[in-house]
Amino acid sequence: MKNVAIFASGSGTNAENIARYFSKSETVKVAVVLSNNKNVGVHARVNNLGIPSFVFSREEFVEGTPVLAKLAEYQADLIVLAGFMNKISDALLKAYPGKIINIHPALLPKHGGKGMYGMHVHEAVVAAGDKESGITIHYINENYDEGDIIFQAKCEVLPTDSPDAVATKVHKLEYAHYPHVIEEVLKKI
Ligand code: GAR
């Protein structure tokens, strides 16, 4: 059995979707969810599925030791970021080389970097008049949104689309593809 640890900071719809996808798997288990915020939806979403979740402060994520201890306790093979809004520490990168992946709600290298997360990304896509957006699943390295790209999928952006409308299209792509990509990445670990 391969164990996945999900890091999430918000509502957690992707975390729930991934957890549901693997709930009947005999080879992959979402073992634990870690968050930097105790007041967010992800906890109830995954706890309802029997998956434990824990909260660490920004300082603990930066320093790394307590987070690493929790990951070791749950024998994490892969760290999956699903709407996680903190930078990943050097300690974590060192401990899990090539084993931390992220989903970004746009077509990197467009609309990435510091401050580009969640609705900010969809607002930027609409403001730029882009005709398409999508998702990028990539490995994490020391720079925001710059690790090697594993997978991208596109959706059309109409001139009449609001940022909310783009977000809905992008979420659909996230739900359809992220679990499958995680499965493929795990086969190589
Ligand atoms: C997702 O759209 C994810 O791609 C994005 O945050 C949202 C989280 O939604 N991540 C980033 O912007 C990271 N830079 P969720 O909490 O409902 O899964």
Side-chain angles (χ1 to χ4, degrees):
M1 184 69 88
K2 300 257 175 72
N3 290 316
V4 172
I6 297 181
F7 286 17
S9 302
S11 162
T13 63
N14 274 285
E16 180 178 353
N17 180 59
I18 294 162
R20 283 192 188 281
Y21 180 86
F22 289 116
S23 61
K24 291 186 185 72
S25 169
E26 285 173 6
T27 53
V28 179
K29 176 179 168 189
V30 175
V32 67
V33 170
L34 306 190
S35 180
N36 57 318
N37 194 338
K38 68 173 167 28
N39 302 311
V40 285
V42 69
H43 300 290
R45 285 181 188 277
V46 300
N47 295 164
N48 284 341
L49 299 171
I51 297 165
S53 63
F54 299 91
V55 178
F56 293 95
S57 66
R58 174 177 287 270
E59 292 70 31
E60 287 170 321
F61 270 108
V62 170
E63 197 274 325
T65 311
V67 174
L68 285 171
K70 192 55 82 183
L71 293 170
E73 183 185 333
Y74 283 89
Q75 299 177 13
D77 295 292
L78 180 72
I79 298 173
V80 168
L81 311 186
F84 185 64
M85 304 309 177
N86 274 14
K87 197 158 190 265
I88 294 298
S89 71
D90 291 343
L92 224 65
L93 278 171
K94 258 197 202 131
Y96 290 87
K99 293 178 181 171
I100 311 177
I101 65 172
N102 180 43
I103 191 162
H104 185 78
L107 297 170
L108 291 174
K110 278 192 116 180
H111 307 302
K114 202 170 178 1
M116 287 305 263
Y117 59 88
M119 282 307 289
H120 298 295
V121 177
H122 309 305
E123 283 159 8
V125 166
V126 170
D130 289 358
K131 294 190 166 44
E132 60 180 20
S133 189
I135 59 170
T136 304
I137 299 169
H138 63 96
Y139 288 104
I140 287 287
N141 69 9
E142 55 287 346
N143 298 320
Y144 271 110
D145 300 331
E146 287 182 16
D148 288 347
I149 291 174
I150 304 165
F151 177 86
Q152 291 188 303
K154 292 178 181 176
C155 58
E156 192 183 6
V157 176
L158 302 173
T160 49
D161 278 348
S162 63
D164 270 335
V166 178
T168 300
K169 291 179 184 179
V170 168
H171 263 125
K172 261 191 201 151
L173 290 177
E174 294 184 330
Y175 304 150
H177 295 290
Y178 206 8
H180 296 284
V181 174
I182 293 166
E183 208 163 31
E184 289 308 308
V185 168
L186 276 167
K187 284 182 189 162
K188 296 181 206 147
I189 288 179

